[in-house]
Amino acid sequence: RLRSAASYQYDVYAAATHPVLSGKAYDRIEQSPLKTMLVTDTLPLTRESPKVEVATVAPIFAEAIKRTFKYQSISSLFDVDKG
């Protein structure tokens, strides 16, 4: 049984790289204490939800493809420590 969001001391967040949201997934997310679920657009979503936020990965994929074609480094795209 799910507890109400008001009974939690902290905000609850989730993330998914490839959101396979099938069956009752949307209903469960919307009834859950989750504040937000961040997903990427690597798979098409079957519907919208106020709790599901979509982040696009198209620009970074396009840059990776371009760099591969030009024989340039891809790893630097993911080096978050060097800003």
Side-chain angles (χ1 to χ4, degrees):
R1 182 156 199 222
L2 295 174
R3 296 180 357 190
S4 71
S7 67
Y8 286 85
Q9 184 177 355
Y10 303 100
D11 291 336
V12 180
Y13 297 88
T17 306
H18 306 293
V20 181
L21 303 177
S22 60
K24 295 183 180 182
Y26 285 98
D27 296 332
R28 290 180 178 148
I29 290 167
E30 290 167 7
Q31 294 171 7
S32 76
L34 282 177
K35 185 164 185 164
T36 303
M37 181 174 185
L38 179 64
V39 301
T40 64
D41 60 355
T42 57
L43 294 174
L45 299 180
T46 57
R47 71 181 226 208
E48 291 186 15
S49 169
K51 289 190 174 186
V52 177
E53 184 177 329
V54 181
T56 185
V57 292
I60 199 162
F61 281 10
E63 184 65 22
I65 292 166
K66 181 178 87 174
R67 289 181 184 204
T68 300
F69 183 75
K70 292 182 174 187
Y71 301 100
Q72 296 175 338
S73 172
I74 296 173
S75 61
S76 62
L77 289 173
F78 307 101
D79 191 355
V80 295
D81 294 333
K82 294 186 180 178

